[in-house]
Amino acid sequence: MAGRRALVTGASLSIGRSIALGFADHGAAIAIHYSAAADKTFGRPDAVQETLTAVQSRGVRACLVEADLAQDGAGRQVVAGAAAGLGGVDILVVCASVQSRTPFLEVTGDEIQRQFQINFRATVELLQAALPAMKAHGWGRVVTIGSINQARPEPDLAIYAALKS
């Protein structure tokens, strides 16, 4: 992975953090996407700084890209920020997602829209922004993180499961 530049969405916490650290362990420069509001909601307001320190301790370049993927155009902004910080993006890891554990009959339109925006629309924006440069350079990789809910959806995660599928 030496010389490669990876953008990992949702990289301050959980699976995204582990992926970012794994790529850094193998020499890739890392763009750490995060949402300050999400980190705070999870009770980890300093998570991104901890992840940045851990990535840099592996001797690779790193940059931070903060964005709320619920906002229109955020996916494109994340790729632009990563490309500016690393000089390009060779690998895109789509890991950021949101779920709401709510009985199906109680899911509101606003919650459906929020999950759609983050779990689907932002993914399309990320791909549309990252793929042209990968194609122009003749090399690129995309990894999207799925969920067990694709195969065995939980009733209270119906919207999340549908969008992950």
Side-chain angles (χ1 to χ4, degrees):
M1 301 286 287
R4 300 293 184 197
R5 301 156 300 180
L7 164 57
V8 183
T9 67
S12 59
L13 296 166
S14 194
I15 295 169
R17 182 181 196 276
S18 295
I19 292 169
L21 295 176
F23 281 3
D25 284 341
H26 289 90
I30 307 294
I32 302 165
H33 161 261
Y34 71 104
S35 165
D39 290 355
K40 186 175 180 181
T41 297
F42 283 108
R44 300 281 314 279
D46 300 323
V48 71
Q49 289 303 320
E50 294 168 10
T51 301
L52 177 63
T53 299
V55 167
Q56 290 174 329
S57 75
R58 284 143 166 91
V60 298
R61 288 183 303 140
C63 69
L64 300 177
V65 183
E66 202 278 335
D68 176 358
L69 293 177
Q71 302 300 312
D72 286 342
R76 289 184 293 279
Q77 293 170 0
V78 168
V79 173
L86 300 179
V89 173
D90 303 306
I91 302 164
L92 169 62
V93 180
V94 181
C95 190
S97 68
V98 64
Q99 56 184 251
S100 175
R101 193 169 292 281
T102 306
F104 181 71
L105 295 178
E106 297 175 21
V107 178
T108 66
D110 286 344
E111 184 55 35
I112 293 168
Q113 182 60 36
R114 179 174 173 264
Q115 289 188 57
F116 177 81
Q117 182 67 30
I118 294 170
N119 297 346
F120 187 77
R121 184 174 177 163
T123 298
V124 172
E125 291 177 357
L126 288 159
L127 291 166
Q128 288 177 329
L131 292 175
M134 290 178 184
K135 183 177 180 181
H137 289 107
W139 196 94
R141 299 292 185 270
V142 175
V143 178
T144 59
I145 305 302
S147 168
I148 189 65
N149 278 279
Q150 291 169 246
R152 290 195 327 239
E154 296 177 48
D156 290 350
L157 292 173
I159 305 305
Y160 171 78
L163 291 168
K164 280 299 205 175
S165 293

